[in-house]
Amino acid sequence: MDTVVRSTVGHVIADLGRRRTYASGDLLFVEGDHSHNVYVCVEGRVRVFLTMPSGRELLVGIKLPGDEFGELSALDGRPRSASAAAIGPTVVAELRAERFLEVLIDEPHLFVAVCQSLSAQLRRANDRLVARNSNSATVRTGRMLVELASMMMRHGGSSVTYEVPITQSDLADWIGATRESTARALAEFRRAGLVETCRGRIVVLDVLGLNEFVSAG
Amino acid sequence: MDTVVRSTVGHVIADLGRRRTYASGDLLFVEGDHSHNVYVCVEGRVRVFLTMPSGRELLVGIKLPGDEFGELSALDGRPRSASAAAIGPTVVAELRAERFLEVLIDEPHLFVAVCQSLSAQLRRANDRLVARNSNSATVRTGRMLVELASMMMRHGGSSVTYEVPITQSDLADWIGATRESTARALAEFRRAGLVETCRGRIVVLDVLGLNEFVSAG
DNA sequence: TACGGTCTATGACCTACATCACACAGTCGG
DNA sequence: CCGACTGTGTGATGTAGGTCATAGACCGTA
């Protein structure tokens, strides 16, 4: 039920919006921009991230096909609070804020869906705030890996092991740690036989085990 | 304009809701609760906070008269993501989620306001995430003090110096640091002649100076 | 006015992590 | 096949800030 409603928002944007294609790494918008379009991911993946003064990035979400993003600026008209970039070749649908709002006003049930999406993001942000303050870098690394593995699962990963296509630098940026700390955490997981690492990707051999590992201590 | 719209949401809740009075420290709801009421602060102040595994708290917002809160659970029906407690004697209006949603569906422009409120919270959460990763405890302490002083200003503080009625433990919990770190930061500010400290309150002698202090380095 | 509770202040550690530094392994273009 | 580049793996070292310990100030209350 929930997903039906949510996908409807995506569908509306997909139906009314203009298709756009991006190559890997292309930026859809950048933190501070005064653009107010709203997007839905149609094909591929989009990463939404904050840039810290140090220049490092901090992942706030990965958008998969059907997920909408960029609503914040569309809703309140303020500058972009985050940047968005394509992970691999990606197709999105782009809709102007004015049109988006018109549709929402016409269809209050879509408004509920949008609010729920915002709520989910807010809950997630709070979780991360707590995680950052209470978990070690190792635990955060493991948690993020489990999360990414689950995401792969959701999107057609069928094997028992999950290949997460990501560099250690990205992973580090995303959990708010250094590349080195992340590498050390991965080394720990590797020694425990939970993951394998190679250039550009991490293979989670035992998702449950990894989850256990970072839950217990 | 923005505030007019926002206050309307508050007014609706205040008009339709049931008045409730709380004493200092009383809990309105607790993280994990399955209640779904939405609130507006009518008189006094409410602090909304997360509880970390360590038992420490983390402030996510202070609600002043006119501010609504508790919308998340009302909107998505999920358990409370945070706890809310009265700071000093407080009056709020409480409205059932179902009624709240009915009104929103009837009045789409209120929906926009709610979305904007959620957006603002999300932006704020992101800011804190970045702050936590890039600023020292001292800087965060100072920033929070400046913010609290401004809040006092907004609410009738008229003098050049601002008395922030808060214990160091609370301040520490709110910025995600220990009481000791916060005390040391305050000692630094005190030596610089920017603040004075006494039992249960901090007097900001020079808001601009403090702001400068934590902005520059 | 003596006592328990709460708040402030500060010193002495000690760990988690960032920083720096370097070596090595894929991958790509010429 | 050979640099150049990008990614990985790990040691050495520094440090911010957490933890622990202690002491004094302030406040309510019996």
Side-chain angles (χ1 to χ4, degrees), chain B residues 136-137 176-178 180-181 184 199:
Chain B
S136 69
T178 58
E180 290 91 329
S181 299
R184 280 182 244 271
R199 190 190 174 79

Side-chain angles (χ1 to χ4, degrees), chain A residues 136-137 176-178 180-181 184 199:
Chain A
S136 69
T178 57
E180 292 90 330
S181 299
R184 279 182 244 271
R199 189 188 175 79

Side-chain angles (χ1 to χ4, degrees), chain A residues 82-93:
Chain A
S83 308
I87 308 176
T90 299
V91 180
V92 304

Side-chain angles (χ1 to χ4, degrees), chain A residues 10-15 17-22 28 39-46 63-69 89-94 155:
Chain A
H11 285 150
V12 168
I13 302 171
D15 287 349
R18 174 204 191 91
R19 290 293 147 109
R20 292 200 167 274
T21 304
Y22 293 94
L28 282 75
Y39 297 85
V40 66
C41 180
V42 175
E43 219 172 281
R45 290 181 350 263
V46 174
K63 304 301 175 179
L64 302 173
D67 293 337
E68 77 265 20
F69 58 97
T90 299
V91 180
V92 304
E94 176 188 86
H155 258 254

Side-chain angles (χ1 to χ4, degrees), chain A residues 71-145:
Chain A
E71 330 86 312
L72 253 63
S73 289
L75 289 165
D76 65 14
R78 300 188 52 209
R80 296 290 181 191
S81 63
S83 308
I87 308 176
T90 299
V91 180
V92 304
E94 176 188 86
L95 185 63
R96 277 179 37 250
E98 297 75 23
R99 192 80 193 82
F100 180 58
L101 285 173
E102 279 170 27
V103 176
L104 290 187
I105 301 275
D106 282 353
E107 301 267 1
H109 75 275
L110 289 181
F111 241 131
V112 177
V114 170
C115 281
Q116 290 182 355
S117 165
L118 291 175
S119 298
Q121 289 179 58
L122 201 44
R123 285 174 189 273
R124 189 192 176 82
N126 285 341
D127 287 349
R128 310 189 87 216
L129 217 38
V130 170
R132 181 65 34 80
N133 289 328
S134 29
N135 300 135
S136 69
T138 304
V139 169
R140 298 206 309 272
T141 304
R143 291 261 169 85
M144 180 57 88
L145 267 186

Side-chain angles (χ1 to χ4, degrees), chain B:
Chain B
M1 175 99 81
D2 182 72
T3 50
V4 172
V5 174
R6 288 200 60 211
S7 76
T8 310
V9 178
H11 286 149
V12 168
I13 302 171
D15 287 349
L16 300 176
R18 172 204 191 91
R19 289 293 146 110
R20 293 199 165 276
T21 304
Y22 294 94
S24 184
D26 283 358
L27 288 163
L28 283 75
F29 52 80
V30 177
E31 195 176 340
D33 276 3
H34 286 273
S35 67
H36 306 299
N37 301 318
V38 63
Y39 298 83
V40 65
C41 181
V42 174
E43 221 171 279
R45 291 183 346 264
V46 174
R47 67 177 219 274
V48 179
F49 60 96
L50 304 170
T51 305
M52 303 195 286
S54 65
R56 295 229 314 268
E57 295 176 0
L58 190 61
L59 177 78
V60 296
I62 291 184
K63 304 301 174 179
L64 302 172
D67 294 337
E68 77 264 22
F69 58 98
E71 331 87 311
L72 253 63
S73 289
L75 289 166
D76 66 13
R78 300 189 51 209
R80 296 291 181 191
S81 63
S83 307
I87 308 176
T90 299
V91 180
V92 304
E94 174 188 89
L95 185 63
R96 278 179 35 250
E98 297 75 22
R99 191 83 192 80
F100 180 57
L101 285 173
E102 279 169 27
V103 177
L104 289 188
I105 300 275
D106 281 354
E107 301 268 1
H109 77 274
L110 289 180
F111 242 131
V112 177
V114 170
C115 281
Q116 289 182 356
S117 166
L118 291 175
S119 298
Q121 288 179 59
L122 202 43
R123 285 172 188 275
R124 189 190 176 82
N126 285 341
D127 287 348
R128 310 188 88 215
L129 218 37
V130 170
R132 182 65 34 81
N133 289 329
S134 28
N135 300 135
S136 69
T138 303
V139 169
R140 298 204 310 270
T141 304
R143 291 260 169 85
M144 179 58 89
L145 266 185
V146 170
E147 199 177 320
L148 290 170
S150 313
M151 205 173 279
M152 291 297 107
M153 209 180 305
R154 168 148 85 97
H155 259 251
S158 52
S159 60
V160 185
T161 67
Y162 298 96
E163 257 191 48
V164 183
I166 187 179
T167 68
Q168 294 183 5
S169 302
D170 283 350
L171 184 56
D173 283 344
W174 295 354
I175 61 165
T178 58
R179 216 243 338 128
E180 290 91 329
S181 299
T182 307
R184 280 182 244 271
L186 288 172
E188 203 176 330
F189 299 152
R190 203 182 323 118
R191 278 191 294 273
L194 298 167
V195 308
E196 269 172 13
T197 54
C198 38
R199 190 190 174 79
R201 70 178 191 282
I202 298 161
V203 183
V204 181
L205 300 171
D206 181 358
V207 186
L208 277 69
L210 183 56
N211 197 36
E212 175 102 0
F213 191 96
V214 296
S215 296

